Amino acid sequence: MAIKRCRAVQFVTVPLLIAFGAAAACTPARDQEADSRPPTRGQVIPALPFDHILTYDELTTLLRDWAAARPDICEVGTVGTSPGGRELWFVTITNKATGPAIEKPALLVDGNMHALEWTGGVAALNFIWRIVRDYDTDERIRRLVDTRAVYVLPRASPDGVEATLRQGRIVRSVLRPDPGGAPVPGLRMGDIDGDGQVVFMRFRDPSGPWKVHPGEPRLLVAREPDEAGGEYWRVVPEGTIPGYDGDTITVPPALEGLDFGIFFPDDRDLLPPGGAPGPDANLVPEVAAYVAAIRARPNIVAHVTCHSFGGGILTPPVNPTEPMPPSDGQAYAAMGEKAAALMNYDVMSYLDLRAGQRLEVHISTEIGWMYNALGIYSFITEFWNPLRAAGIALKGRMSLWLGGLHPVEDELRLLRWNDEALGGKGFVAWHAFDHPQLGPVEIGGWDKVHYWYNVPFDRLEQEVAPHADWLIFLALSSPRLEIRAFSAEPMEKDDWRVRLVVENSGWLPTSVSQQALDRKIVGGVVAELALPPGARPVDGDLRREIGQLTGRSEQRSTATWWGYSPGTPERAVVEWRVVAPAGAKISVTASHARAGTARASLLLQRARAR
Ligand SMILES: [Zn+2]
């Protein structure tokens, strides 16, 4: 497989006004035509290339260039270092002039938790690119960056992605043995004919389960239950079989099958009776570092992990033991509907996806940890559906199709799609090869790396583009604490009545989810008055607990009394009596870990007598 290594950089520019004050100049190679939009003078923001997957070095350069071009809103940090010595780049986006990220509700996005699922990593990068590119011109992006924060871990497994780029084969998360597993003998996948691709091997076997389709010699179809006497085949992944005994072949879980997703902390309270928790995050340094970074940011209210493939959005619950309060289910549905509308993807729970599987097996996941233990709305996006691209109308769940429960006609259609739409590049023609253990075999089959796990490069940008719109929508759906009014009324002498009105101007409640309330993992709004020296409160504390404020998420319909909450449940008033000299400056801070921090101050002034 020829993975392109060229560095294709396009440019757009930001207006001079914004570029003024940019800290560092970036000097990318000017080897491509400029972006189609009219150029303006200013700091150059290099475009995200869609014609190849960035190497780690290219990724590092691009992120630094973006941050250098927009230091006012974009910062590149790291949450740790991989065992391969690569940084886990972590991008923070917010308008620094309107407050630090930690004081704003935040959306967290990650990509390449699974190494080969490049499309997910590109989608995470595209979100950053979209924001830094359009901040000046897109009202929604400006509002997002001015009032919220975005965190992006674009490449959760830099070692794994680098391995897939170098070896061109399926690697789950990283090329490292599962710390909990012992090596198992059997077939080792690899490129044995040296064409750069790792596909499949087929060889004749009188008791084999496959036969060649009569009208399509590339296609192997199942031998009939009562069939004998024909030419039959066996199919295994391309690779070698150390210690082959001449009769039996086992295909063990790949050495590189380590899956970061199962190392996120389980909520142990939700394990089924006798159920075992997933493995410890500390066994995987990348996951441990990411988990620590998430725990250090209690302002995260929503999360999306970007994967491929499937063309769907997955939500909790993952396991049947995980409760979801109805209001959370409704919020998830509303957010999922938006995704479905923008991307034409299916939205379903992970548990629904498991239909037909053994549900008593507990599955540990990143989204399960985020929602169950942290009360954060967490989603998996599975980009790209090759079946849909080939015009196959799925009659049931895609998981059933992938399990082989589909008509042969679908597979013929896929091959026609390869020939017509992909120019034949998606399916490697079967070709003879003399295998060191098996003897004569044929090597060929679907290029799963480029056409199944990932959207082809020529369709990549259009596939991920609407996802950025959904992420903007999600971030803007978060709660947002604001000060509606802050005033002081003179009572007598130096006695003042100070009044604060706070409100949640966001869609979600300040608690974000009922799950967070039920599990007592989120505190309420706190208002705290700051007085100058010599001033003092007359009654009560300067610090007041306000509790939670609702958002608009449960205001669904005025058709009945049940679809909305009348009044102003998103608003609260706090009053203090203070003694302070006229002319003194008093300040207030209203804060909530998830809904953000708002500040106001005023000068104590008596109305002038007429
Ligand atoms: Zn994945």
Side-chain angles (χ1 to χ4, degrees):
M1 176 185 60
I3 292 172
K4 286 197 245 170
R5 294 284 170 81
C6 64
R7 178 173 159 79
V9 180
Q10 294 178 311
F11 300 101
V12 294
T13 52
V14 293
L16 192 61
L17 180 70
I18 299 302
F20 184 77
C26 55
T27 54
R30 294 175 179 276
D31 58 355
Q32 292 285 312
E33 61 187 351
D35 188 272
S36 56
R37 293 190 305 170
T40 51
R41 286 182 304 143
Q43 181 76 45
V44 174
I45 302 179
L48 173 65
F50 291 97
D51 63 345
H52 72 292
I53 300 303
L54 301 178
T55 63
Y56 172 75
D57 289 342
E58 287 177 308
L59 171 77
T60 302
T61 301
L62 185 63
L63 293 176
R64 285 182 175 154
D65 285 352
W66 284 343
R70 291 313 305 242
D72 52 336
I73 61 168
C74 179
E75 200 169 279
V76 180
T78 174
V79 295
T81 307
S82 72
R86 299 182 179 91
E87 296 302 326
L88 302 173
W89 296 125
F90 191 80
V91 177
T92 301
I93 297 171
T94 197
N95 180 358
K96 294 173 189 171
T98 58
I102 196 72
E103 292 189 358
K104 294 168 181 162
L107 170 71
L108 172 67
V109 177
D110 63 57
N112 277 126
M113 197 59 67
H114 292 148
L116 189 68
E117 298 170 18
W118 301 327
T119 304
V122 172
L125 287 171
N126 182 59
F127 185 41
I128 305 172
W129 154 234
R130 175 83 188 277
I131 293 173
V132 296
R133 187 190 68 188
D134 291 347
Y135 175 72
D136 294 326
T137 54
D138 185 319
E139 185 277 329
R140 294 171 78 245
I141 291 177
R142 178 176 279 272
R143 188 151 42 95
L144 160 66
V145 176
D146 288 354
T147 62
R148 267 74 170 185
V150 167
Y151 300 119
V152 185
L153 178 76
R155 191 168 286 188
S157 180
D159 293 354
V161 173
E162 214 67 4
T164 62
L165 292 176
R166 286 180 185 164
Q167 301 187 18
R169 65 186 170 122
I170 295 173
V171 172
R172 189 63 167 156
S173 283
V174 75
L175 205 59
R176 204 157 69 216
D178 187 327
V184 183
L187 187 144
R188 292 276 171 245
M189 279 195 275
D191 174 23
I192 60 167
D193 61 353
D195 68 351
Q197 284 174 291
V198 181
V199 280
F200 299 91
M201 305 188 293
R202 68 180 191 182
F203 53 94
R204 290 175 181 81
D205 180 341
S207 51
W210 307 106
K211 62 181 180 181
V212 173
H213 185 278
E216 174 48 85
R218 289 176 292 181
L219 182 60
L220 292 169
V221 294
R223 180 179 162 189
E224 294 299 326
D226 58 348
E227 186 181 339
E231 184 181 63
Y232 305 117
W233 297 78
R234 201 166 286 279
V235 180
V236 293
E238 182 179 348
T240 55
I241 313 166
Y244 180 50
D245 66 5
D247 297 303
T248 58
I249 300 170
T250 53
V251 182
L255 183 70
E256 45 282 332
L258 174 67
D259 186 340
F260 283 5
I262 67 167
F263 287 85
F264 284 84
D266 265 308
D267 190 329
R268 280 153 211 264
D269 295 348
L270 298 176
L271 292 174
D280 188 341
N282 292 316
L283 293 170
V284 178
E286 293 94 330
V287 177
Y290 188 32
V291 165
I294 294 166
R295 289 197 196 279
R297 289 168 177 81
N299 55 324
I300 296 170
V301 305
H303 161 254
V304 178
T305 180
C306 301
H307 294 238
S308 55
F309 64 100
I313 306 280
L314 299 173
T315 71
V318 177
N319 298 288
T321 48
E322 295 162 5
M324 183 178 290
S327 59
D328 289 5
Q330 287 151 6
Y332 254 126
M335 293 184 276
E337 274 167 24
K338 185 70 175 180
L342 283 167
M343 288 176 280
N344 197 24
Y345 280 9
D346 299 324
V347 182
M348 67 180 79
S349 74
Y350 197 119
L351 187 58
D352 284 343
L353 187 75
R354 293 174 68 187
Q357 298 172 9
R358 293 184 57 181
L359 294 183
E360 66 270 29
V361 176
H362 177 82
I363 296 181
S364 305
T365 59
E366 183 183 8
I367 62 165
W369 174 58
M370 294 266 197
Y371 175 70
N372 295 321
L374 305 180
I376 292 169
Y377 289 115
S378 178
F379 300 82
I380 300 173
T381 299
E382 294 283 359
F383 286 94
W384 172 238
N385 189 321
L387 307 177
R388 217 174 274 153
I392 292 169
L394 285 178
K395 293 187 181 67
R397 293 207 183 288
M398 180 150 166
S399 49
L400 297 177
W401 196 103
L402 295 174
L405 303 172
H406 57 255
V408 170
E409 173 54 33
D410 284 0
E411 299 199 26
L412 291 168
R413 187 182 279 266
L414 277 164
L415 284 168
R416 283 201 300 277
W417 171 67
N418 167 66
D419 298 339
E420 292 161 11
L422 304 180
K425 288 182 292 188
F427 193 94
V428 177
W430 295 106
H431 52 281
F433 182 77
D434 195 18
H435 191 274
Q437 286 92 38
L438 297 169
V441 301
E442 291 181 7
I443 294 178
W446 277 103
D447 174 358
K448 296 262 165 69
V449 171
H450 289 90
Y451 299 100
W452 285 73
Y453 272 96
N454 290 293
V455 58
F457 289 128
D458 62 354
R459 298 151 192 238
L460 180 53
E461 184 170 11
Q462 73 183 58
E463 186 80 20
V464 300
H467 192 258
D469 289 301
W470 182 53
L471 296 178
I472 294 164
F473 168 87
L474 276 186
L476 288 174
S477 302
S478 61
R480 186 183 179 225
L481 190 63
E482 291 195 73
I483 292 177
R484 177 179 162 84
F486 183 47
S487 58
E489 185 189 344
M491 304 303 284
E492 52 189 53
K493 291 189 79 179
D494 286 342
D495 189 353
W496 304 80
R497 189 173 70 153
V498 177
R499 184 169 183 267
L500 171 72
V501 186
V502 292
E503 65 184 4
N504 171 17
S505 65
W507 182 73
L508 285 168
T510 51
S511 59
V512 174
S513 66
Q514 185 63 37
Q515 180 81 344
L517 286 179
D518 290 352
R519 314 214 61 183
K520 299 181 172 57
I521 48 181
V522 61
V525 176
V526 171
E528 190 157 14
L529 208 56
L531 301 179
R536 62 179 173 82
V538 175
D539 57 345
D541 289 336
L542 292 174
R543 186 179 189 278
R544 299 287 176 82
E545 309 255 350
I546 299 176
Q548 306 294 343
L549 300 174
T550 68
R552 302 192 307 277
S553 59
E554 293 193 38
Q555 308 282 39
R556 288 184 295 271
S557 164
T558 55
T560 69
W561 283 98
W562 310 316
Y564 75 104
S565 310
T568 55
E570 79 286 1
R571 207 173 275 171
V573 175
V574 191
E575 288 188 348
W576 292 266
R577 287 284 293 277
V578 302
V579 171
K585 182 183 176 187
I586 63 171
S587 307
V588 73
T589 302
S591 60
H592 185 285
R594 296 186 166 192
T597 299
R599 294 184 177 84
S601 58
L602 56 76
L603 291 177
L604 297 174
Q605 285 176 317
R606 291 181 183 280
R608 215 170 267 166
R610 283 176 187 269

